[in-house]
Amino acid sequence: MRTLLAGLCALMMSFPLWAATAPVYSHDGKTALKGFDVVAYYSLPAGANALKGKPDIEYQWQGLTWYFANAANRQAFVANPAAYAPQYGGYCAFAVAHGFTTSPRVNSWKVVDGKLYLNNNPSSFKLWEKDQSNKIAQANQNWPAVLHK
């Protein structure tokens, strides 16, 4: 009986870990944006592939390691991380607009009004882009409460 009670207590205490999603997406719990350079998006042409960061050019922010392709990008991020960090913690913008979170794909992206939005795949990106203003407004309403669903 004691073992059962101890097991139930442990289960109940771990429930908040299941219910909450991290405020910044990380595929491994350590690295932001799968190691891609978040600053580079702002200078890439629309539709270009994301630029991989280098492990030796990094910065710790919000409990994660952010990698950069060059020292200038790292310095820009260090000076103002919030200006470069993806919206909704890097989670799929389409998903957040619909009230849930899912992982992003680094090549399904767009910078709108100086803010970076990532999506899960080319299909969700196209749907998001088709109704971009409304999807951003919906996601803004859902964020960050969607993290607790």
Side-chain angles (χ1 to χ4, degrees), residues 72-130:
N73 284 4
R74 180 190 182 278
Q75 189 56 40
F77 187 83
V78 169
N80 191 358
Y84 295 100
Q87 297 302 292
Y88 321 122
Y91 290 95
C92 172
F94 181 83
V96 174
H98 289 275
F100 65 99
T101 60
T102 191
S103 62
R105 296 297 176 264
V106 296
N107 291 324
S108 292
W109 65 275
K110 187 172 185 181
V111 174
V112 178
D113 296 329
K115 296 178 181 180
L116 174 61
Y117 297 88
L118 299 167
N119 282 278
N120 179 267
N121 58 57
S123 297
S124 63
F125 176 73
K126 286 178 186 172
L127 291 169
W128 176 84
E129 193 174 37
K130 188 180 202 181

